[in-house]
């Protein structure tokens, strides 16, 4: 009787070990793939929805506003700075970081320039009307 | 990415949409520009507070230098030169996109897409597409700037033997594609 209970205990210990290993493997698998297939589906969803939003939002624009709209669209496109900041983030000086910093600088030129230019165009528009 | 970060990015996306929407009517145009600025500020602050972003000093220097250059040029330029200025600025975004893709290739762990030499195929394809689009944006915007400014003629570029050259290029391209595929 006691033999069986010892065997049972051993078995349950082994099962516990196995389940631990399995969960670690699953974690490693998720880490190595970075949840990537999900991310692609998510990305495609965003892309398609953004196409519709862009189409409907920009469709009925007054011709006089085409230039400022181009200006603000250009300014918003510098949201690439998000990627640039992530690239420039790490402390250690690598080539990747300097690429990131260069991209931060270029995007910053565009952010400030873009919004200021749009503002100037709009103020011109206001005076005329 | 924490939930708060995701929500912040969502808010800034909505503000960008409102910004474009605002710019489509004269009465709401100024408010639209303001929404755009707020959205961009939220996106930048959210990203800088990401735990992976630590080199605040260098980032601040790059950001301030870029911001100063952009503001000074945008304030000083003549009104009539604004369209070409937008084109010139836009070329910088293309270049920045190329830099970001290159950076992701050399240090993928900063973007959570694997390690050096072990990047998932999907991310590699994304990077390739990103680099190509960025490069086309860069050169295309420079040509647009040149045409608006009058550096480059607005006439289509035609030269003798153009069609023959295109044919050869197309053929050669096909050969390369076939070599890659088989």
């Amino acid at each position: 009787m006691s033999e069986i209970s010892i065997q049972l205990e051993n078995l349950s210990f082994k099962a516990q070990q196995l389940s631990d290993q399995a969960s670690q493997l699953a974690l490693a698998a998720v880490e190595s793939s970075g949840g990537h297939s999900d991310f692609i589906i998510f990305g495609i969803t965003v892309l398609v929805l953004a196409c519709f939003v862009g189409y409907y939002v920009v469709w009925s624009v007054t011709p006089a506003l085409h230039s400022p709209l181009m200006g603000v669209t250009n300014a918003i496109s510098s949201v690439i700075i998000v990627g640039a900041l992530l690239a420039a983030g790490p402390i250690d000086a690598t080539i990747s970081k300097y690429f990131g910093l260069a991209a931060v600088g270029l995007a910053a030129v565009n952010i400030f320039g873009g919004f200021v230019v749009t503002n100037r165009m709009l103020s011109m528009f206001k005076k005329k009307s | 990415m924490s939930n708060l970060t995701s929500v912040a990015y969502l808010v800034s996306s909505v503000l960008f949409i409102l910004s474009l929407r605002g710019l489509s009517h004269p009465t709401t145009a100024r408010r639209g520009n303001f929404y755009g600025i707020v959205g961009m500020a939220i996106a930048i602050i959210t990203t800088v507070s990401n735990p992976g972003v630590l080199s605040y000093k260098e980032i601040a220097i790059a950001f301030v230098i870029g911001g100063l250059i952009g503001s000074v040029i945008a304030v000083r330029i003549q009104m009539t030169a604004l369209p070409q200025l937008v084109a010139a600025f836009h070329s910088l975004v293309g270049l920045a996109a190329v830099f970001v893709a290159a950076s992701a290739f050399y240090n993928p762990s900063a973007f959570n897409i694997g390690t050096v030499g072990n990047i998932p195929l999907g991310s590699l394809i994304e990077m390739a597409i990103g680099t190509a689009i960025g490069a086309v944006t860069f050169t295309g915007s420079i040509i647009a700037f040149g045409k608006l400014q009058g550096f480059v003629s607005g006439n289509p570029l035609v030269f003798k033997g153009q069609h023959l050259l295109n044919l050869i290029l197309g053929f050669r391209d096909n050969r390369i594609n076939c070599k890659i595929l088989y």
Side-chain angles (χ1 to χ4, degrees), chain B residues 18-78:
Chain B
L18 286 177
S19 166
L20 293 176
R21 182 75 224 170
L23 255 293
S24 60
H25 293 287
T27 46
T28 53
R30 288 185 149 267
R31 206 186 314 155
N33 198 28
F34 178 69
Y35 285 150
I37 295 171
V38 175
M40 189 61 75
I42 292 177
I44 292 172
I45 291 167
T46 309
T47 311
V48 170
S49 55
N50 182 302
V53 178
L54 297 165
S55 55
Y56 302 109
K57 204 170 140 195
E58 291 101 317
I59 287 175
I61 292 172
F63 188 75
V64 168
I65 291 177
L68 274 179
I69 294 174
S71 313
V72 168
I73 294 176
V75 169
R76 291 214 175 150
I77 200 99
Q78 288 176 328

Side-chain angles (χ1 to χ4, degrees), chain A residues 19-54:
Chain A
S19 78
D20 279 356
Q21 273 180 354
S23 66
Q24 269 171 5
L25 271 178
L27 263 180
V30 166
E31 266 172 18
S32 70
S33 74
H36 205 271
S37 60
D38 287 352
F39 180 75
I40 284 192
I41 296 297
F42 178 70
I44 291 174
T45 312
V46 170
L47 178 71
V48 171
L49 290 179
C51 287
F52 279 96
V53 169

Side-chain angles (χ1 to χ4, degrees), chain A residues 78-90:
Chain A
S78 38
V79 78
I80 185 77
I81 198 171
V82 167
L85 288 170
L86 289 179

Side-chain angles (χ1 to χ4, degrees), chain B residues 2-182:
Chain B
S2 73
N3 285 339
L4 188 65
T5 312
S6 310
V7 172
Y9 281 143
L10 181 65
V11 169
S12 90
S13 315
V14 170
L15 281 167
F16 288 152
I17 295 171
L18 286 177
S19 166
L20 293 176
R21 182 75 224 170
L23 255 293
S24 60
H25 293 287
T27 46
T28 53
R30 288 185 149 267
R31 206 186 314 155
N33 198 28
F34 178 69
Y35 285 150
I37 295 171
V38 175
M40 189 61 75
I42 292 177
I44 292 172
I45 291 167
T46 309
T47 311
V48 170
S49 55
N50 182 302
V53 178
L54 297 165
S55 55
Y56 302 109
K57 204 170 140 195
E58 291 101 317
I59 287 175
I61 292 172
F63 188 75
V64 168
I65 291 177
L68 274 179
I69 294 174
S71 313
V72 168
I73 294 176
V75 169
R76 291 214 175 150
I77 200 99
Q78 288 176 328
M79 279 291 186
T80 48
L82 288 184
Q84 46 267 51
L85 184 64
V86 171
F89 279 153
H90 198 67
S91 71
L92 301 182
V93 179
L95 194 59
V98 174
F99 280 154
V100 170
S103 171
F105 184 73
Y106 286 116
N107 184 15
S109 52
F111 293 85
N112 253 340
I113 48 169
T115 51
V116 179
N118 184 25
I119 306 171
L121 183 66
S123 301
L124 283 175
I125 294 172
E126 277 169 34
M127 271 177 221
I129 296 174
T131 312
I133 295 178
V136 169
T137 307
F138 178 56
T139 51
S141 298
I142 286 181
I143 300 290
F145 166 74
K147 285 192 170 184
L148 287 165
Q149 185 72 28
F151 292 154
V152 182
S153 151
N155 301 326
L157 189 63
V158 185
F159 53 89
K160 212 179 163 206
Q162 184 177 21
H163 295 302
L164 186 66
L165 180 68
N166 283 343
L167 189 71
I168 294 169
L169 283 177
F171 182 66
R172 195 198 62 146
D173 219 37
N174 243 346
R175 288 277 299 278
I176 294 171
N177 288 347
C178 292
K179 268 186 192 160
I180 291 170
L181 283 176
Y182 304 111

